[in-house]
Every structure is written in C-alpha cells, then in structure tokens.
C-alpha cells in the first residue's frame, strides 16, 4: 500500500486527472442546474450537457465504445424523448414557479446527508487505489468480443426486453379502442377531480 | 488515475439525481433525475471495470445493459406520463394521491375517488 502510494504522488495529479476533474466539475454543475432549473426545457437541455460530460469521462477512462453508445442513446434519443414528452404534456415554456414540490428542503437535507456519508465511505475505502490507464480498455473490438463471447444470453434477453417495452409503450400510449374508451369514459364520469373536464377534452 | 475521482463524481451525481427525484413535481423532471442516477451507476461500473481489468469486461457489458434498460424505462415511463396527462390534465405527481391512506373521516365513504387507473400511481 505504501509502495503504491509512493509511486503515485497523492497531491501531484497527472494530466488525465486534471482533465477528469475539470470535466467532472462541468458535469456536476450541469446536473445541479438540471435538477434545480425552473424552466423545464432548459432542464432537459442541461441534461444533454451532463450526459455529454459523462461520455467524455468514459473517454478519459479509455472506454471508447461505451462513450459513443452513451452519446448515441442518451444524447441522441433519450433527451429527444424527454423533450417530446415535455411538448406533449404542454409543459410551460417559460419559468414555472411550481417545478419544485413542497418537500424541497427535506429532499435537500436527504441528498446532502447521503452525499456526505457516501463521499466519506468512498474516499476512505479507495484512498490508496490507482487506475493504471495504459492502453485502451474498452475499444469496440474488445467490447464486442466480450459481449458476444460471454454475455450473449443476457444480450438476447435484453433484446426481448426492448421489444416488450416497445410493445408496452405503444399499447399504453394508443388512444383506447371502442370498448376500452367507453369503459374509461364511464370510469371518469365518477371522478370529481378538477382536472376531469380537461381530461375529457383531451380524450377527443 | 486515482480511483477516488470517478467514484466521488459518481456519488455526487447520484445524490444530485436523488435530490431531483425527491424535490421535483413534474413527472418528466423526475424521469430526468432518474437518468442522472443511472448514469452515476454507469460511471462507477466503467471505472471499476477499468480498475480491475476484468477479462470478461463485466463492468462495460453491464453498462451497455443498463443503458438499454434505461432506454426501455424512459419509453415506458413517458408513455405512462402521457397516459396520466391524458386522463388527469396534468403531469403533477403531487396531485396523484388516489391511493393515499387518509385518516377516517367524511371522505372515507367516498369510494368514487378510487378510480381504476392504478397506472397513475406507478409514477408517483
């Protein structure tokens, strides 16, 4: 342990570490703006910055393939889906004062307490652990070989899961058929929430 | 590179997402915070995979699986949110309290509020 600590200066960071730290600060800042912004579309756009920053961190950790998958799937499709969701639920474009719920301060307390506890545990556990970053660990060739040699069965199961999720999303978001729509209409007639008239308009 | 850098960054991102899940009111913002938490876990997986030099590359394979599961989750989640919005006229998860246990009172006999779309509460 002491030899390992001596070979790496504890307070003399390498270039990769400095780059990781700077990108990490940017990522964390974007994440904090994402969860605290009162403008919903801006929150989604800051999420792009946070996810892109995480992709850069993957590149710095020499996991190339994961980085590009991250860019493709998260930045390319998940954020677009979220923006579509914001549009379809008619989210307010400007500043919406009720973006945060009433339990904001307890949530902040819980988050800070868990952050303090986890940072303490993690730093204490990995104080003398270094990653040696020589050579690329996660190029597309290496990832593909391990994925299709050792992880084929979970990979195929995952494709079935994606198909099931796709079918489920279509079934959920389809406007109900005749019988289903009638059942929903009668069920909604019994509800006396203030949102019910708006909902019935949306059904047509 | 010191292993504490990615680990601490993952912890902080996870707690940011935790705050977002607990404090946000719009269901889509809650889904964004869940994405942040999943990404923190992914960062941990990749960092530990690179540290341990696993011959099976379990960390990176699991990261790919997590990304795919997150994509499925966001699709289903947005479909549920859109359904709730269509039924209720808002995607405000603080108002989806139909399954809440209220103290016995005059409201208790009002069974009409228990409407059959339990899907609304799945996102709450």
């Amino acid at each position: 342990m002491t030899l390992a600590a001596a070979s790496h200066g504890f307070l003399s960071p390498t270039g990769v570490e400095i780059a990781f730290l700077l990108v990490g600060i940017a990522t964390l800042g974007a994440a904090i703006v994402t969860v605290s912004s009162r403008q919903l579309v801006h929150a989604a756009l800051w999420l792009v910055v946070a996810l892109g920053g995480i992709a850069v961190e993957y590149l710095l950790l020499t996991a190339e393939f994961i980085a590009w998958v991250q860019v493709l799937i998260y930045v390319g499709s998940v954020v677009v889906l979220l923006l579509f969701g914001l549009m379809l639920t008619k989210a307010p474009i400007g500043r919406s004062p009720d973006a945060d719920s009433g339990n904001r301060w307890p949530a902040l307390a819980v988050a800070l307490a868990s952050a303090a506890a986890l940072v303490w545990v993690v730093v204490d556990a990995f104080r003398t652990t270094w990653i040696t970053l020589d050579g690329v660990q996660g190029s597309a060739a290496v990832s593909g070989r391990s994925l299709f040699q050792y992880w084929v069965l979970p990979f195929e199961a995952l494709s079935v899961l994606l198909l099931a999720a796709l079918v489920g999303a279509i079934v959920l978001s389809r406007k109900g058929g005749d019988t289903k729509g009638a059942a929903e209409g009668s069920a909604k007639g019994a509800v006396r929430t203030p949102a019910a008239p708006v909902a019935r308009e949306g059904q047509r | 590179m010191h292993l504490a850098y990615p680990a601490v960054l993952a912890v902080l991102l996870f707690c940011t997402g935790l705050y977002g899940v607990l404090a946000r009111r719009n269901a889509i913002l809650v889904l964004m915070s869940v994405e942040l938490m999943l990404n923190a876990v992914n960062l941990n997986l990749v960092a530990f995979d690179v540290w341990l030099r696993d011959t099976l590359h379990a960390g990176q394979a699991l990261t790919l699986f997590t990304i795919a599961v997150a994509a499925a989750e966001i699709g289903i989640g947005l479909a549920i949110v859109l359904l709730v919005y269509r039924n209720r006229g808002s995607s405000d998860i603080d108002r989806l309290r139909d399954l809440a246990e209220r103290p016995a009172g005059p409201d208790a006999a009002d069974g009409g509020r228990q409407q059959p779309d339990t899907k609304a509460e799945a996102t709450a």
Side-chain angles (χ1 to χ4, degrees):
Chain A
M1 285 296 188
T2 51
L3 273 181
S7 65
H8 304 80
F10 184 66
L11 283 179
S12 63
T14 60
V16 178
E17 281 177 336
I18 294 172
F20 194 93
L21 196 65
L22 292 179
V23 177
I25 289 170
T27 305
L28 188 63
I32 288 174
V33 175
T34 302
V35 297
S36 64
S37 169
R38 293 193 182 280
Q39 310 196 26
L40 307 184
V41 181
H42 286 198
L45 295 179
W46 278 106
L47 186 67
V48 174
V49 178
L51 298 175
I54 292 174
V56 176
E57 306 282 41
Y58 290 157
L59 276 184
L60 290 175
L61 285 169
T62 69
E64 288 173 5
F65 183 64
I66 306 279
W68 300 125
V69 167
Q70 167 96 2
V71 171
L72 272 178
I73 292 186
Y74 271 112
V75 182
S77 74
V78 166
V79 175
V80 172
L81 266 181
L82 284 170
L83 283 172
F84 266 111
L86 282 176
M87 278 191 272
L88 288 175
T89 57
K90 296 190 180 60
I93 295 297
R95 188 172 279 273
S96 60
D98 58 346
D100 290 326
S101 72
N103 49 12
R104 183 176 174 194
W105 297 108
L108 191 61
V110 167
L112 285 181
S114 58
L118 282 171
V119 164
W120 179 46
V121 168
V122 162
V123 168
D124 194 43
F126 303 116
R127 205 185 309 138
T128 55
T129 313
W130 271 267
I131 306 174
T132 47
L133 291 174
D134 49 343
V136 175
Q137 284 285 304
S139 63
V142 174
S143 293
R145 203 173 295 128
S146 75
L147 202 61
F148 286 105
Q149 269 184 355
Y150 309 111
W151 301 95
V152 173
L153 192 61
F155 188 80
E156 299 296 333
L158 200 68
S159 65
V160 177
L161 172 84
L162 276 177
L163 180 67
L166 187 70
V167 173
I170 290 172
V171 169
L172 276 180
S173 59
R174 201 169 49 114
K175 304 238 177 196
D178 299 334
T179 60
K180 193 169 159 250
E184 274 181 1
S186 68
K188 226 175 283 147
V191 185
R192 291 188 313 235
T193 54
V198 186
R200 254 179 256 125
E201 280 173 15
Q203 192 78 20
R204 281 175 199 148
Chain B
M1 175 155 55
H2 204 292
L3 184 58
Y5 286 101
V8 168
L9 178 63
V11 163
L12 293 177
L13 279 176
F14 185 86
C15 291
T16 310
L18 182 66
Y19 167 77
V21 167
L22 291 178
R24 288 301 209 174
R25 180 174 289 196
N26 192 318
I28 295 179
L29 292 177
V30 172
L31 283 177
M32 286 185 206
S33 308
V34 170
E35 293 302 313
L36 277 179
M37 293 166 84
L38 286 169
N39 270 286
V41 175
N42 285 347
L43 187 61
N44 248 343
L45 281 171
V46 169
F48 279 80
D49 181 89
V50 175
W51 172 45
L52 294 172
R53 299 184 164 266
D54 191 6
T55 49
L56 296 185
H57 281 289
Q60 298 192 7
L62 279 176
T63 305
L64 286 175
F65 295 160
T66 314
I67 290 174
V69 170
E73 170 255 334
I74 205 81
I76 293 285
L78 279 177
I80 292 173
V81 170
L82 287 183
L83 194 67
V84 169
Y85 179 79
R86 211 185 292 152
N87 282 337
R88 306 293 184 90
S90 88
S91 54
D92 185 348
I93 58 175
D94 277 5
R95 282 199 230 151
L96 305 175
R97 296 181 181 247
D98 284 353
L99 286 182
E101 290 189 4
R102 292 182 182 76
D107 266 357
D110 187 10
R113 293 184 63 86
Q114 306 284 334
Q115 65 165 326
D117 66 341
T118 54
K119 296 183 278 295
E121 277 73 24
T123 56

